[in-house]
Amino acid sequence: MATLILVRHGRSTANTDGVLAGWTPGVALDERGAAQAAALPGRLRDIPLAAVVTSPLQRCRETLAPLLAARPELAVHTDERIGECHYGDWSGRKLSELSGEPLMEVVQQHPSDAAFPGGESMRAMQARAVDAVREWNARVEAEHGPEAVFLMCSHGDIIKSVVADALGMHLDLFQRVHVDPCSVTAIRYTRLRPFLLRLGDTGDLAALAPRDRGAPGEGAASGKAEVGGGAGAP
């Protein structure tokens, strides 16, 4: 099946302010995030993309803007299912304040039992994201063939939950996964199993370009996770 490139949005103003943004409107890329987005077309230059799908949130759309400007032939599709987790009453609050909430320990240690007040559960978040990935995999393969590559621009917790599914990990282990802003995670789906090709890659991506079948390489600080994904390197 198709190869999925998952891009986390560039660093946002909420990341640098230590705020859990969720679906709060008006959260844009900060200066570093804009620079990360500007570098994305060069990082992806060797990879033909069959489709681009994005979260509807501003920080994802801003991340994709330079790539879409460089490749005007690409149509972009919006899918709410890969939008950020609905953090409900936690949205817009400082992570430093939320660290003392009893629910935070559940989010860290037993996320499959975590449901945000006025929002959604982490199980529901993962289910909708994985459904979106599987449906887009099938659609891209049907329209462009099994060697096609497509890109999704999404959010830290969404990407981590998709990675956990691809690796056969229980959701309670997904906090062991980390993806920086504007990093690339790549998953190749096959009929029998997915293969994780890249995780949180912030460097050169030329090796992800499609290869001929049978070519070499075809085979397969605090201890707490940063809810929402964190701000990445300074």
Side-chain angles (χ1 to χ4, degrees), residues 183-198:
S183 65
V184 166
T185 294
I187 304 170
R188 179 170 296 141
Y189 288 85
T190 73
R191 187 174 65 86
L192 297 180
R193 63 182 59 86
F195 291 90
L196 181 64
L197 306 179
R198 289 288 189 281

Side-chain angles (χ1 to χ4, degrees), residues 30-226:
D30 68 5
E31 185 176 352
R32 180 178 177 86
Q36 291 170 333
L40 192 59
R43 295 172 62 205
L44 295 169
R45 64 185 176 275
D46 296 321
I47 304 173
L49 296 174
V52 173
V53 187
T54 185
S55 156
L57 295 173
Q58 178 179 341
R59 52 197 183 273
C60 287
R61 292 186 283 108
E62 289 182 354
T63 299
L64 287 179
L67 176 64
L68 297 174
R71 301 197 195 187
E73 75 282 1
L74 280 176
V76 61
H77 308 272
T78 300
D79 194 325
E80 291 196 356
R81 295 175 298 175
I82 61 167
E84 181 63 283
C85 185
H86 291 278
Y87 296 117
D89 297 344
W90 280 25
S91 298
R93 293 181 60 188
K94 288 276 191 180
L95 287 164
S96 57
E97 299 172 1
L98 293 170
S99 64
E101 295 278 355
L103 177 60
M104 183 60 87
E105 186 176 15
V106 181
V107 170
Q108 292 288 329
Q109 304 296 336
H110 190 22
S112 65
D113 193 44
F116 295 98
E120 70 179 333
S121 69
M122 302 199 88
R123 285 181 293 107
M125 174 201 74
Q126 182 186 44
R128 63 172 165 87
V130 170
D131 282 349
V133 165
R134 297 289 182 169
E135 289 177 24
W136 277 102
N137 277 342
R139 175 174 171 177
V140 169
E141 182 180 14
E143 294 179 1
H144 302 279
E147 302 304 317
V149 181
F150 72 108
L151 182 149
M152 284 183 161
C153 187
S154 188
H155 307 266
D157 282 348
I158 296 290
I159 294 171
K160 289 162 57 177
S161 72
V162 170
V163 168
D165 171 76
L167 292 178
M169 292 168 52
H170 196 282
L171 184 61
D172 285 346
L173 302 179
F174 101 126
Q175 298 290 27
R176 301 182 183 192
V177 178
H178 179 77
V179 290
D180 276 337
C182 222
S183 65
V184 166
T185 294
I187 304 170
R188 179 170 296 141
Y189 288 85
T190 73
R191 187 174 65 86
L192 297 180
R193 63 182 59 86
F195 291 90
L196 181 64
L197 306 179
R198 289 288 189 281
L199 176 63
D201 194 324
T202 56
D204 182 20
L205 301 171
L208 292 179
R211 305 175 185 218
D212 294 334
R213 284 189 180 276
E218 270 280 290
S222 65
K224 293 185 178 179
E226 295 179 88

